[in-house]
Structure formats: structure tokens, C-alpha cells
Amino acid sequence: MSLGYAEKLSYREDVGTVGMPEIFETPELVQNKIEELAAMVQKSKHLVVFTGAGISTSSGIPDFRGPMGVWTLQNVDSLHLRSGFPREKLAELHGNSFKEICPCCKTEYLRDFEIETIGLKDTPRRCSDKNCGARLKDTVLDWDDALPPEEMNLATEHCRSADLVLCLGTSLQITPACNMPLMSIKNGGRVAIVNLQATPKDKKASLVIHGLVDKVIAGVMSKLSLRIPPYIQKCVRWTLRVTSIHGLRAPLPFLQSVKVSFPERPDLKSVVLKEQPFSLQRETSMNKPFFMLLTLNFSDGCSCLSSSIGWPVDFQKRKDSFVRDRALVLRELYSAAQRESCIGQQEILERENLPRAETSIHGIVTNIVRYDTEDEKLAPPKNDLMNHSRSNPAKRHVEGTDCHSSLPKKLKYFLKDKKLNC
């Protein structure tokens, strides 16, 4: 919801009303009430809109008390801000599951992912201000949390001076927020309610419409000759796949996990892919490029712990396709590893651009773990990693445990590829 009292109070819920029946008025009656509501809005000089989870049901998000109601999705879905509604004119009383806040400098961070916690708890991230650096907190209230004073003060000020408070998709039962619309009545204002269920405030309202919120508001806008601007979501859903050059289903025994991070974009959440096939799906802005870093964590068969691949992503630009001489590139990697005493170096071998996909093949130089056994006949061939990793060694020798250790006498070339399908 979007309103509250200025005092520090907790809110509570009358759970006995969960599952109340929905009321659908006849189309003719709803149309008449739409015309009445349009006239009220046109005459209003100071309009306040009080919203609940009912405004989100058209987007496929369950409301609080409906047949598919969910307790954790009570109007904290960030749809207000995503619509382009000005932040300074919005009071998010019960929080936003996509927003973090710094408790020290009050900086807000709107994310493209749901925050891991609720109840104003610490999150894994910190304020990016160099002069602050405090641990961030989520903004979604738990049942015993007090409403945020900053949001409540703004809501109280506008409700008291409003000549019309329009309540959309809310049961008006969560206190103290539910009492905020009535403040306008004390100062000569009026209240209009649009909701599929009856509310405790219906008798005090000047107009009650039992209908779908989006249908009613669309009718009001039409009566007022106002155009509803189209919501254009300039986003793209993309998939990252880290696969073998031998096919999508071919195993990658030398890879234990893949970490995908976005060093320059704190709003994009890092993730560690632990199960094959390694795949990540995300939705990001089409107009905002970003840099993606893949950290390949090798299995026990490789004494080099990991290697990293950087991938700049810009959906507005297309990259060139090319094929390089694999043997030459691998020799150069081998020489660089020997010269710099650093294994785990990588280089791109091939890139192919398709209309909706980009595929890159990378070569990586690393070393293998050597084993000594009591019986030389059981010793695996030194140039065979697959047999190496399956052996049951009596003793293990790791020549170089990280990328800064001395190189072993034998190096092994591995080819890995990654695919980005948009």
C-alpha cells in the first residue's frame, strides 16, 4: 500500500477475512459508476490514489486475499516505479521487494532481482558511496515492523489536504494504513473505492465500484479524453550457456562450477552455476550495455584453480564473426604460460554471430594433476586427462596449485565454449 500514519505504529491484519467472495457488478452499473468517478476526478484539485495488491492482478501477480492469494506479494512488486511514476510522489508504505536502502545515508538501490530478505534485515551488499559503505537493508515490512516515518509523513500530509482519495485494489484492512484515506473526509474531501471485495470503509465512501481496477481506470481515462501511454519494456531476455565444443549435452568433467558476475553493475546479481549444463537466464535493459565476467572453477583434475573470461554485452551492436588458427593460438598461450609462469590463461578462438545468438569458443591452457601409484601399470597416461581424473591414486602430486605457481613439465590444452542466446 501507499499510505500510513506519522506516528511509529505497527500494522496488523484481520486474517479472518482472507478468502472473501468477489463481487462483480453488472456492466451497465459499472459503466454508470465510471462516468460518476470520471466527474469526481475532473473536479478534484488534489487527488491521492491509495493502491493495494489488486492493481497487480492484471499482471499475473496474485493478490492478498483472492483464491490464489499469497501473503508475501502484498503490493511490493515495484510496478509503480517501473511504470515511470515519479519517486518523489510515491509513498511505499509496506516496502518494495526489489529495493534496498542504506540506513545511514538513505540512498535507495532499485534492483532487477528480488532482495533475498524481508523484515528490514541486512542484505549481502553495501552502499556504493565511498564515504559511507554501510551494509544495505531490504525495505519490505514484516508483520511486527513499524511503517517507515519518511513515507508515512508524506502520505499523511497529502491525505489530509486531498479533496478526493481514490482507493484501488485494496481491502482497506491493514492498520494503520487503511485509516489514511478517511483523513480527507474530516477536511471535507471524499473517498472512492474500486475493489472486487467489500471493505470496512465502504459505508464512508462516496462511491464504491465492484469491478476490475484496470477496466475501471481505462474507462475513466476514456471519459476524460486522456490517453494511457503504452508501457514499452525495453528489455531483452537472454540465456548464457557454457558448453562443450562437442555438443550441448557433452559433459565438461574439468569444470566444477561457473561464477557469473557483473563488476560494473551492482544492480545485477552475481550467481554461481553448480550443475551441468551450465545455464543462466536473465532479463536486462536493451539499451544499457554491461560487462559480464565468467569465472571458470576447475575440478580436481586441474591444479589450476580457475580462469576468467570477460564478455562485454551490448544488444545494440553486433560483433564480427571470425575463426582463428587454433594451433597457433594454443602455441602462443603455451609460450605465454611458460614465460609468465601463470597457467589458466585463455584466448578466444572463434566467434559466430547469428540473428539472435552469439557463440564464442575459447582456448584455455592449464595443467593436470600428476599421480604416483605403487604399480606403474596402474598409472594413467600423462597426456590423458580423462583417464587421470578417473584413476584411484595412492599419492597425488600437484605441480602448481594456482596461477602463480611454477609450471609443471607437461601442460594440457582444453577447449571450452560459451553461448549467449538472445
Side-chain angles (χ1 to χ4, degrees), residues 7-269:
E7 301 93 313
K8 185 177 181 180
L9 298 174
S10 298
Y11 70 90
R12 59 186 181 275
E13 173 68 21
D14 179 8
V15 296
T17 58
V18 174
M20 289 179 60
E22 295 179 339
I23 304 171
F24 291 89
E25 296 175 332
T26 63
E28 294 78 10
L29 180 58
V30 171
Q31 184 60 37
N32 292 335
K33 291 185 176 182
I34 286 176
E35 295 178 2
E36 184 179 353
L37 178 59
M40 295 171 64
V41 171
Q42 190 172 37
K43 294 179 181 178
S44 175
K45 302 296 183 182
H46 192 156
L47 172 65
V48 170
V49 180
F50 185 86
T51 63
I55 69 166
S56 305
T57 54
S58 299
S59 303
I61 301 176
D63 66 6
F64 194 67
R65 288 178 190 74
M68 300 298 291
V70 179
W71 291 96
T72 56
L73 293 177
Q74 174 64 344
N75 197 213
V76 292
D77 45 44
S78 195
L79 291 185
H80 295 81
L81 292 178
R82 292 187 182 187
S83 71
F85 194 84
R87 176 65 181 94
E88 64 274 10
K89 294 185 177 181
L90 176 66
E92 294 183 308
L93 292 187
H94 296 157
N96 185 329
S97 60
F98 291 84
K99 187 174 69 178
E100 296 172 288
I101 189 170
C102 176
C104 297
C105 66
K106 304 303 179 182
T107 301
E108 297 181 349
Y109 297 86
L110 191 64
R111 308 300 192 185
D112 75 331
F113 56 89
E114 288 189 81
I115 309 305
E116 300 89 338
T117 62
I118 63 169
L120 311 180
K121 298 183 179 66
D122 290 342
T123 71
R125 291 160 291 278
R126 292 185 177 273
C127 181
S128 59
D129 189 332
K130 296 180 180 179
N131 298 322
C132 182
R135 180 65 63 86
L136 300 180
K137 292 182 179 293
D138 72 79
T139 62
V140 177
L141 304 187
D142 208 344
W143 290 109
D144 296 327
D145 292 325
L147 295 178
E150 296 86 356
E151 309 292 328
M152 292 166 60
N153 292 337
L154 178 65
T156 300
E157 175 186 350
H158 284 281
C159 277
R160 284 176 176 169
S161 57
D163 56 12
L164 175 62
V165 177
L166 178 56
C167 303
L168 302 177
T170 169
S171 66
L172 293 171
Q173 293 189 60
I174 298 180
T175 59
C178 67
N179 296 316
M180 298 297 289
L182 302 184
M183 290 183 175
S184 64
I185 297 179
K186 295 180 180 181
N187 294 321
R190 294 192 292 176
V191 172
I193 300 174
V194 181
N195 196 52
L196 283 177
Q197 298 167 327
T199 80
K201 313 300 182 185
D202 286 356
K203 293 182 180 180
K204 297 184 179 181
S206 300
L207 177 65
V208 177
I209 304 178
H210 293 300
L212 297 173
V213 172
D214 54 343
K215 300 290 186 181
V216 172
I217 296 303
V220 170
M221 295 287 285
S222 176
K223 288 295 178 182
L224 297 177
S225 299
L226 297 175
R227 176 177 174 269
I228 300 177
Y231 176 61
I232 302 175
Q233 190 176 15
K234 296 182 179 179
C235 294
V236 57
R237 293 181 180 179
W238 51 268
T239 301
L240 169 75
R241 295 186 180 93
V242 181
T243 64
S244 168
I245 59 172
H246 302 294
L248 294 177
R249 297 184 179 181
L252 295 169
F254 48 83
L255 276 186
Q256 191 172 45
S257 63
V258 177
K259 181 180 180 181
V260 185
S261 57
F262 309 88
E264 301 171 357
R265 292 283 301 274
D267 58 315
L268 300 180
K269 190 176 182 180

Side-chain angles (χ1 to χ4, degrees), residues 265-367:
R265 292 283 301 274
D267 58 315
L268 300 180
K269 190 176 182 180
S270 300
V271 65
V272 177
L273 309 176
K274 298 182 179 180
E275 296 183 0
Q276 299 191 30
F278 300 113
S279 178
L280 173 66
Q281 292 185 335
R282 283 291 177 88
E283 180 177 304
T284 54
S285 173
M286 181 179 294
N287 300 325
K288 192 172 182 180
F290 58 89
F291 180 80
M292 181 167 53
L293 182 66
L294 276 66
T295 302
L296 308 176
N297 300 309
F298 299 140
S299 61
D300 292 338
C302 307
S303 60
C304 178
L305 298 181
S306 64
S307 182
S308 297
I309 297 176
W311 193 327
V313 179
D314 188 345
F315 295 105
Q316 301 297 314
K317 296 181 180 179
R318 293 191 59 81
K319 299 178 181 178
D320 296 330
S321 299
F322 60 84
V323 177
R324 301 175 64 183
D325 188 325
R326 293 190 180 186
L328 176 61
V329 173
L330 291 176
R331 283 199 301 268
E332 292 176 349
L333 285 174
Y334 178 84
S335 299
Q338 287 185 317
R339 182 172 60 254
E340 301 175 16
S341 298
C342 181
I343 52 181
Q345 299 193 45
Q346 64 85 27
E347 188 64 51
I348 186 171
L349 301 176
E350 181 179 330
R351 177 186 290 142
E352 181 182 10
N353 271 304
L354 301 175
R356 295 180 60 85
E358 175 189 331
T359 301
S360 295
I361 299 178
H362 288 250
I364 297 178
V365 172
T366 183
N367 60 346

